Amino acid sequence: MGHKDGASLALNELRKESQDIYNRIHSIAEDAAFVDQVYRSYFRLPLIPNMRCGAWYTDPDTASNERAYFKSTDGHTGNWSFNLRRPNLHILPLICAHAGLLLVDSTRAGKRMPDALSKTVPIWCAVINRAVLKTTSNMNVDADAWNTKLYTPPGVVSAQEHDQIEQKLDGWADDLAASFYILPKLQYPLRPIWITPSTTVFPKFPDTDAERRFYPIICISASKQVLDAMERRITGFAYIQGSGDDHELWGMGLTPAQFWKHKQTLLRANRNELPTLVHALASSLNTHSTSTDLNSNASFHPIPIQHVHGRLSICTTHDISSPLGDESAVVYLTSADDVPPALKDHPRVLYIQTPQGKKGQHHFLHTVLPQVMPFIFLHLQNTRRVCIACETGTDTSIGVAIAALIKFFDDSGEFCGEYEYEREGVLSKDDIKTRLHWIITSCPQANPSRTTLKRVNEFLLSPPEFLLPHQKSLSPSAVPNPSPNES
C-alpha cells in the first residue's frame, strides 16, 4: 500500500469516527453536563439555546421556552451585521425580568467559541445599547452612565477586527431605531460575558439593583476545544468538539427533543445497538408527525401576527391536527403527497403540493402566490382568520404572509377590504421589509430564505405581464363561490 493510499484510509477512518452517532451522543452528554454546571452557578438566570445547535446541550426541564437565533454568519470576518431579519428582540423582556441571560451554543474544531457568541452577540448587545440611546425620549435613560462600548472576547477577536466592527455600530443602531421594531425599556445596558470549559473561575455579578451596572449576557460555549477535533475517552468513545452541529449529517433523524426525552436509554445502548434504537425513535416521530387527524383532540397552535390583530397566522403543517373552527381557513403548502383526504377536500383548506429545489421556487412564484392570494382575500372578506402553513413554518409560509400583508392590509395593519390595496406612492422593498418585521415581531423563528424573499419581491414589484406567460394571478371572482359551510 502506498503512502497516499494509507493517508487516504486514515482520513476516511477519522471521518467515519467523526460522524459516528455513538461518539456524537456521548460527546453531547459530556458538554451538556458542563452547561448544567454553569446553570447551577447562575440558577436565577434563564437558560436558552442558540438555535439550532444549542438545543442539543440544554435540558428542556431547566431551559426557558424561548429560543435565540444568533447566526455565526453575521459575525464572520468582513461580513459583520446586525440583521433586522434576526433582531432577537423577543428575548429582551426575559433579560429584563431576570437581570441577565445564559445563552448556549457550540462550535466545531479549530475555535474556542462560535462566531455567533464571540462577535454576533457582542454586536447585538452594542447595537441594542446604542439604539436605546437614540430613542431616549421615551426611555428615560441616563445617557452619560449608559455604556455603549463594544465588548469582544480577548484572544478570540483581534484588536483590528474589533475596531472594524465598532465603526459600523452606529449605522446599525440607526437602522434599528428607524425600523418598525419597538425596543422595550431597559434599566441597564447589555454586556456579553463568555464562559467555556477552559474557564477556571466563573464571574460573579451583583444581586441588587443598587450595585448592578449592566445585564450580563453569559455566552456559554459548550464544547471543549480539542486538538484535531477528537479526543479519546477511557469510557470507550471519541470526544468530538461541537457534536451538535450539522446533525443532518450524523443524527439519522434524531432530534434534540428526542435526545433529551430518551437520553438515559440512548446513553446506555452499546455502539452496535444504538443505530437501531435511533431508527426506531425517528420512525415513531415521523409516524406521529404525519398522522394528521382532523377529528383528534390535539390543539391547533398557529402563531398570530399581532400587528394585523391575528387575522393572519403562521404554523407548520404538522400543527394542523384538530378540527377547523368556522372562523378559520388554512393555506396548506407541502411537498408531501400523503396528505389525508380530510385535509385535501376540506372546503376551507387550500392544499397546494410544492416541489422542492429550483423547480419549487418557480412554482412558488407562478403557481402558489397567484392561487393563494384570492383564497386568502375571500376568507378575510368573510371575517375569518387565515392560517398559512408550510413544513417548517419559517420559510414558504412567511413569503405568502408577506405578500398577503402587502396586498390586503394598510400600513397601520387594518384590512383594507379591497383585493389590491391602493396605497399612496409606489410600493417599495422597504414596504415589503416592514411587513416581514411585523411577522418577526410575533414569530421570531421566521427565517425566509433569500430566494423566497426574491420571489415575493418579483411577485409584488413586477408588472402584471411578468406572470402572463406562466399563469395569471387570479382575481377573487375566479375563486369558486363558497359553499354554505364555507361562508
Side-chain angles (χ1 to χ4, degrees):
M1 181 186 296
H3 175 72
K4 286 186 177 180
D5 291 337
S8 178
L9 283 172
L11 282 172
N12 286 337
E13 190 60 31
L14 282 172
R15 193 177 296 114
K16 184 178 176 182
E17 263 196 308
S18 73
Q19 300 299 335
D20 181 79
I21 193 167
Y22 185 87
N23 292 337
R24 292 273 179 167
I25 283 177
H26 284 264
S27 300
I28 288 170
E30 181 175 314
D31 293 342
F34 167 69
V35 170
D36 185 62
Q37 177 190 356
V38 178
Y39 172 71
R40 283 185 275 109
S41 299
Y42 303 101
F43 62 89
R44 289 188 178 89
L45 297 183
L47 174 72
I48 68 171
N50 190 38
M51 300 301 282
R52 298 177 309 159
C53 180
W56 288 98
Y57 306 103
T58 50
D59 185 345
D61 288 340
T62 54
S64 165
N65 291 328
E66 290 290 2
R67 301 287 183 267
Y69 304 92
F70 295 103
K71 289 196 72 172
S72 283
T73 51
D74 294 332
H76 286 178
T77 302
N79 193 48
W80 316 287
S81 174
F82 182 94
N83 198 321
L84 288 174
R85 286 168 53 196
R86 294 181 286 274
N88 284 290
L89 302 186
H90 65 289
I91 65 175
L92 288 175
L94 191 67
I95 293 169
C96 294
H98 298 273
L101 183 75
L102 298 167
L103 179 66
V104 180
D105 204 349
S106 182
T107 189
R108 289 172 288 182
K111 292 183 177 181
R112 278 173 51 199
M113 61 184 71
D115 286 347
L117 297 186
S118 64
K119 287 179 278 187
T120 307
V121 172
I123 288 170
W124 181 77
C125 291
V127 169
I128 296 289
N129 293 339
R130 293 180 186 217
V132 165
L133 276 190
K134 293 176 185 294
T135 55
T136 49
S137 57
N138 53 16
M139 286 285 185
N140 193 27
V141 167
D142 181 357
D144 294 331
W146 195 260
N147 189 345
T148 62
K149 289 181 182 178
L150 173 68
Y151 291 90
T152 53
V156 177
V157 178
S158 69
Q160 180 184 15
E161 186 173 12
H162 178 104
D163 291 342
Q164 289 174 318
I165 294 171
E166 200 158 32
Q167 292 169 20
K168 296 177 178 288
L169 295 176
D170 278 327
W172 292 327
D174 288 336
D175 292 341
L176 175 58
S179 73
F180 164 78
Y181 298 122
I182 298 173
L183 291 171
K185 183 177 180 180
L186 300 183
Q187 193 173 354
Y188 305 99
L190 312 175
R191 181 168 172 179
I193 306 290
W194 299 273
I195 292 179
T196 74
S198 63
T199 302
T200 52
V201 179
F202 295 166
K204 293 184 178 181
F205 305 102
D207 290 327
T208 65
D209 284 347
E211 301 174 287
R212 190 172 289 120
R213 295 291 179 267
F214 57 83
Y215 290 135
I217 309 302
I218 302 176
C219 301
I220 306 170
S221 187
S223 293
K224 177 185 176 184
Q225 186 177 15
V226 296
L227 188 65
D228 299 325
M230 202 178 295
E231 194 171 83
R232 305 290 172 187
R233 294 287 186 267
I234 58 173
T235 48
F237 73 96
Y239 174 83
I240 299 165
Q241 182 181 347
S243 279
D245 211 9
D246 293 332
H247 63 259
E248 293 88 355
L249 300 178
W250 59 265
M252 301 167 62
L254 190 70
T255 65
Q258 286 177 305
F259 167 74
W260 282 103
K261 184 177 180 180
H262 304 284
K263 179 185 171 188
Q264 295 308 319
T265 303
L266 289 165
L267 292 176
R268 280 196 298 265
N270 65 41
R271 193 179 293 272
N272 293 328
E273 295 170 340
L274 188 59
T276 304
L277 174 60
V278 169
H279 274 304
L281 291 174
S283 298
S284 67
L285 175 70
N286 292 334
T287 301
H288 174 74
S289 297
T290 57
S291 59
T292 304
D293 178 9
L294 287 178
N295 297 314
S296 74
N297 293 320
S299 57
F300 175 32
H301 293 299
I303 301 172
I305 300 170
Q306 298 296 344
H307 196 68
V308 293
H309 316 293
R311 296 295 306 277
L312 296 181
S313 59
I314 307 293
C315 73
T316 70
T317 50
H318 291 161
D319 289 333
I320 302 177
S321 57
S322 66
L324 298 181
D326 290 341
E327 72 285 355
S328 300
V330 171
V331 174
Y332 193 98
L333 308 171
T334 179
S335 60
D337 56 6
D338 58 350
V339 178
L343 263 180
K344 277 188 182 180
D345 303 332
H346 197 286
R348 292 192 308 280
V349 174
L350 177 61
Y351 160 75
I352 301 178
Q353 188 172 1
T354 55
Q356 295 180 333
K358 289 184 178 179
K359 186 178 179 182
Q361 287 300 327
H362 182 276
H363 183 264
F364 178 67
L365 175 60
H366 295 292
T367 300
V368 172
L369 290 172
Q371 287 187 11
V372 164
M373 290 303 111
F375 175 87
I376 291 176
F377 178 75
L378 174 71
H379 290 287
L380 289 174
Q381 251 192 338
N382 289 329
T383 67
R384 291 196 182 91
R385 298 176 183 273
V386 180
C387 181
I388 306 163
C390 68
E391 286 165 344
T392 64
T394 61
D395 186 14
T396 310
S397 56
I398 306 300
V400 170
I402 293 170
L405 290 170
I406 283 285
K407 281 185 168 289
F408 310 136
F409 293 86
D410 64 23
D411 292 339
S412 61
E414 298 298 326
F415 177 57
C416 60
E418 301 170 8
Y419 183 68
E420 199 75 42
Y421 166 54
E422 295 294 334
R423 61 179 28 83
E424 293 182 13
V426 179
L427 176 66
S428 69
K429 287 187 177 180
D430 285 339
D431 294 316
I432 297 171
K433 285 179 184 176
T434 297
R435 268 44 175 198
L436 176 58
H437 296 169
W438 292 2
I439 296 170
I440 291 171
T441 298
S442 297
C443 183
Q445 66 268 35
N447 187 28
S449 66
R450 290 183 182 275
T451 310
T452 294
L453 292 176
K454 185 177 180 182
R455 297 290 91 83
V456 171
N457 286 343
E458 289 172 353
F459 178 74
L460 295 170
L461 300 174
S462 299
E465 56 268 22
F466 178 75
L467 288 173
L468 284 175
H470 308 275
Q471 179 172 348
K472 262 189 181 178
S473 179
L474 301 172
S475 67
S477 59
V479 178
N481 288 328
S483 60
N485 58 349
E486 282 183 89
S487 56

